[in-house]
Amino acid sequence: SFSRGVAAGRFTGGAGHIGAVPLKLSDAQGDWRYANNILDLKGGLQVADALADPRFNPLVANDFTLRFADGRITAQGIAREPKSQARVADVQIAHVLASGTGHALLDVDGLTFGQQLQPEMLTTTTLGVIANVAGTVNGRGRIDWTPQGVRSSGTFRTDGLNFAAAFGPVTGLKGEIAFSDLLGLMTPPGQSASVASINPGMAVVDGTVRYQLLPDRKIAIEGARWPFAGGELVLHPATLN
């Protein structure tokens, strides 16, 4: 439709990507409006991992908005898990067309696992590792890109996660993790988490684990200690897949 210098309409079947970020946008649909050299889009879309071995399952954004003005794209929306519609992250994106540079901010505020949402609904990496997760995660990630490449980082924390693992139930996992490569799921050395209780047949309590996330989904256990029977249980360094 055209009226008083304004053009507006509907769009469907939108797809694409932003800069060099390895994310695919698809199934975009909604309303568009063009006036005063400004293009506004509002609608929904799907976000998926662009890698052949996806790190996360597709998410949806039902209230995505995008503005193109003065050679700059700004966009924002709420990424949700499709089945439960659980709020996973608030996403803000900015991209400058002339330089090909931009960034995305991912705010995770109260991502709660429980009866309605489990980690395997978001990623296949936890399948067979943990189950019946209960607890909340908060944090922020950032992705920066230029024509030369992509950098990403982020810090996330929990004040207490409970879950079942192959070696027994875990309660009160607490800590903060700082990613040096959020998209690659890698961290610097020296990450730390405390564990209220692990029970592989005999309960051990009040432990501390030091670790580093390595490329190719490996984790370097730098060491762990638990007080036990007047002494200590000590986990020596090891690399786990």
Side-chain angles (χ1 to χ4, degrees):
S1 63
F2 299 89
S3 176
R4 298 180 182 179
V6 176
R10 292 276 301 170
F11 68 94
T12 58
H17 66 276
I18 298 178
V21 180
L23 302 176
K24 294 187 298 184
L25 309 179
S26 63
D27 297 333
Q29 51 77 32
D31 300 310
W32 64 267
R33 182 179 185 274
Y34 184 77
N36 300 319
N37 294 320
I38 298 173
L39 175 65
D40 286 305
L41 286 79
K42 181 178 182 180
L45 50 75
Q46 184 183 87
V47 182
D49 197 339
L51 297 187
D53 183 14
R55 295 155 296 186
F56 66 91
N57 300 328
L59 302 172
V60 295
N62 302 323
D63 50 2
F64 191 79
T65 62
L66 182 147
R67 169 166 285 193
F68 176 31
D70 298 324
R72 179 182 174 90
I73 292 175
T74 56
Q76 60 184 3
I78 300 170
R80 299 180 182 274
E81 193 282 319
K83 183 178 179 180
S84 66
Q85 287 295 304
R87 187 177 191 141
V88 177
D90 292 3
V91 181
Q92 298 181 54
I93 297 171
H95 180 75
V96 179
L97 270 70
S99 62
T101 62
H103 68 267
L105 299 178
L106 313 171
D107 282 306
V108 175
D109 185 9
L111 176 59
T112 300
F113 296 106
Q115 188 173 5
Q116 289 189 323
L117 181 69
Q118 286 293 299
E120 61 266 24
M121 297 168 69
L122 301 177
T123 175
T124 59
T125 59
T126 62
L127 282 173
V129 181
I130 58 174
N132 301 324
V133 179
T136 300
V137 175
N138 296 280
R140 172 177 256 206
R142 181 181 176 108
I143 306 170
D144 292 276
W145 57 86
T146 69
Q148 287 71 45
V150 179
R151 293 178 301 162
S152 61
S153 60
T155 302
F156 299 87
R157 62 192 174 277
T158 179
D159 292 327
L161 285 178
N162 304 329
F163 53 87
F167 49 80
V170 177
T171 62
L173 176 69
K174 182 188 298 185
E176 184 174 274
I177 180 170
F179 288 94
S180 54
D181 181 352
L182 179 60
L183 292 172
L185 297 179
M186 292 185 288
T187 72
Q191 306 297 311
S192 178
S194 62
V195 188
S197 172
I198 297 178
N199 192 339
M202 180 179 294
V204 290
V205 298
D206 298 329
T208 301
V209 181
R210 291 179 291 105
Y211 66 95
Q212 178 185 9
L213 297 185
L214 301 173
D216 301 321
R217 298 178 184 174
K218 291 183 171 60
I219 178 170
I221 302 296
E222 298 171 351
R225 291 178 179 272
W226 290 264
F228 188 75
E232 281 188 317
L233 289 178
V234 177
L235 182 63
H236 289 292
T239 299
L240 306 177
N241 189 340

